[in-house]
Amino acid sequence: MPVIRIPQDFNEESLYVDLRPIFDQSLYLKCEGFNFAGSIKLKAAAEMVNAAERAGVLTPRSILVESSSGNLGVALATIAASKGYQFLCVTDSRCNLSARRLMEALGSQVHIVSEPHISGGFLGARLAYVEALCASDDRYVSLNQHSNPHNWKAHYGTTAPAIARQFPDLDVLFVGAGTTGTLMGCARWFWERHRRRVRIVAVDSVGSVTFGTPPGRRMIPGLGTSVRPALLDESYIDEVIHVEEADAIRACHRLARRGFLFGGSTGTVVSAATEWLERHDPGRELTAVAISPDLGERYLDTIYQTNWLQDLYGEEVLDSAELATVSRSA
């Protein structure tokens, strides 16, 4: 068993779920939620903080400030607590209550932006708030996950080679697109370093503008953006799939019925992957991996709560026979 001194020293890299018994597809799900921040964002947060320290950007008087829909905020709160930094997370109303409480429990502050930017949505408003704060007080330091190259370098150095070691004959990799750090780190590594060609399929939410599609309502935090990420380089990507939130919810509940409680981003990626494999791999011959960013405990009041689902998506989202029974508490 490992013995660690700081929380970011532990991250489970080798756990996969074989989804064939659930979805009848040859698909392995890489589970990234087993660390002290509870999501894949711990990797990017640790790499960005370490790089800022090496560059002398972060000093003992610094106050970290970052825009996040939830998971990166929890990851930075975890690291800030372990290193003695103050941290302010700038988020919006879509951030799960449990994520906000986790950050506060770790000693961080949370600021909730209540009004979207006129053209950039809630993300634009969050980024504008962070920019104004840093301009007004030089103690504030933003790592800017949306344009920081150490975001994708974290996955270039860890996530992608870990997948290649486990599946040397990988044919296709499904990766969700948020800031595109995970996507670009994995895509670059498989294009540049792997011995065989791997098809990279990016997964986005309907309503996201990341790949040039029209903006729309998005209620599940994690994947998708209202501002195109600066990190994105589409030349490394073979295909993009957009998933309706209702389909992501159905995939989450189908997994839950078999004892696997995952977050909304995982449901989005699994929905896209199973649909793609149904069309392209009817013989179940390809080796396919999808990346699961986090687990489902932070979503109990949203995608696993009946009233929330009915209010936002209508009764029909619960009609599928695959859905689990969920609480009807107010």
Side-chain angles (χ1 to χ4, degrees):
M1 296 293 290
V3 176
I4 65 172
R5 291 181 179 269
I6 54 176
Q8 53 269 37
D9 280 348
F10 175 76
N11 195 84
E12 173 58 58
E13 282 281 16
S14 59
L15 180 60
Y16 294 78
V17 177
D18 182 353
L19 296 184
R20 187 188 291 263
I22 303 174
F23 293 95
D24 192 29
Q25 297 289 348
S26 180
L27 178 65
Y28 297 94
L29 188 64
K30 188 179 193 304
C31 301
E32 290 279 356
F34 292 96
N35 57 56
F36 284 93
S39 82
I40 196 171
K41 290 291 188 177
L42 184 64
K43 293 178 177 179
E47 177 65 23
M48 291 189 295
V49 167
N50 291 340
E53 289 177 333
R54 292 193 298 268
V57 175
L58 277 176
T59 67
R61 69 185 289 270
S62 297
I63 303 172
L64 277 168
V65 58
E66 191 68 23
S67 162
S68 171
S69 62
N71 280 341
L72 183 81
V74 174
L76 282 175
T78 303
I79 292 173
S82 75
K83 289 177 171 283
Y85 291 116
Q86 296 181 63
F87 172 54
L88 170 63
C89 179
V90 180
T91 189
D92 59 64
S93 56
R94 295 172 301 176
C95 178
N96 293 322
L97 178 60
S98 60
R100 302 203 302 264
R101 287 177 172 171
L102 276 169
M103 287 185 271
E104 291 168 346
L106 289 163
S108 296
Q109 294 182 301
V110 179
H111 175 80
I112 301 173
V113 171
S114 57
E115 294 294 331
H117 188 274
I118 189 170
S119 60
F122 279 111
L123 175 57
R126 284 164 21 201
L127 293 174
Y129 185 92
V130 170
E131 183 179 359
L133 196 60
C134 292
S136 67
D137 188 334
D138 65 2
R139 293 177 302 164
Y140 286 97
V141 174
S142 173
L143 302 175
N144 196 352
Q145 62 167 327
H146 301 279
S147 61
N148 191 324
H150 293 283
N151 185 346
W152 68 259
K153 287 179 180 180
H155 303 286
Y156 191 97
T158 60
T159 310
I163 293 171
R165 286 193 298 271
Q166 188 76 25
F167 298 95
D169 296 325
L170 182 67
D171 294 302
V172 56
L173 178 65
F174 300 91
V175 190
T179 65
T180 68
T182 307
L183 173 63
M184 295 313 305
C186 290
R188 286 174 181 270
W189 193 91
F190 278 104
W191 272 88
E192 298 170 2
R193 303 288 297 276
H194 200 40
R195 64 177 178 80
R196 70 194 301 269
R197 181 76 169 85
V198 174
R199 188 172 187 84
I200 304 296
V201 179
V203 181
D204 200 7
S205 298
V206 171
S208 168
V209 306
T210 298
F211 295 97
T213 50
R217 185 189 75 165
R218 291 179 296 108
M219 300 305 299
I220 302 175
L223 299 189
T225 62
S226 52
V227 178
R228 179 182 168 90
L231 297 178
L232 179 61
D233 183 344
E234 293 187 56
S235 66
Y236 289 95
I237 299 167
D238 294 291
E239 189 174 346
V240 179
I241 299 177
H242 286 87
V243 176
E244 295 279 359
E245 287 191 330
D247 292 329
I249 290 164
R250 293 185 183 102
C252 284
H253 281 265
R254 188 167 178 178
L255 286 161
R257 286 195 64 148
R258 301 298 291 270
F260 295 107
L261 196 71
F262 288 107
S265 296
T266 299
T268 306
V269 174
V270 168
S271 178
T274 53
E275 186 272 336
W276 189 94
L277 290 168
E278 186 68 31
R279 289 186 286 112
H280 293 88
D281 188 30
R284 289 23 176 197
E285 297 174 350
L286 297 178
T287 299
V289 168
I291 297 177
S292 165
D294 62 2
L295 302 179
E297 290 92 338
R298 295 175 191 173
Y299 304 85
L300 294 178
D301 293 330
T302 54
I303 63 175
Y304 294 106
Q305 213 284 324
T306 303
N307 293 342
W308 188 87
L309 293 175
Q310 290 175 336
D311 289 345
L312 291 175
Y313 304 98
E315 294 283 347
E316 61 273 11
V317 77
L318 299 178
D319 288 344
S320 170
E322 300 293 342
L323 290 184
T325 302
V326 291
S327 170
R328 291 187 176 274
S329 62

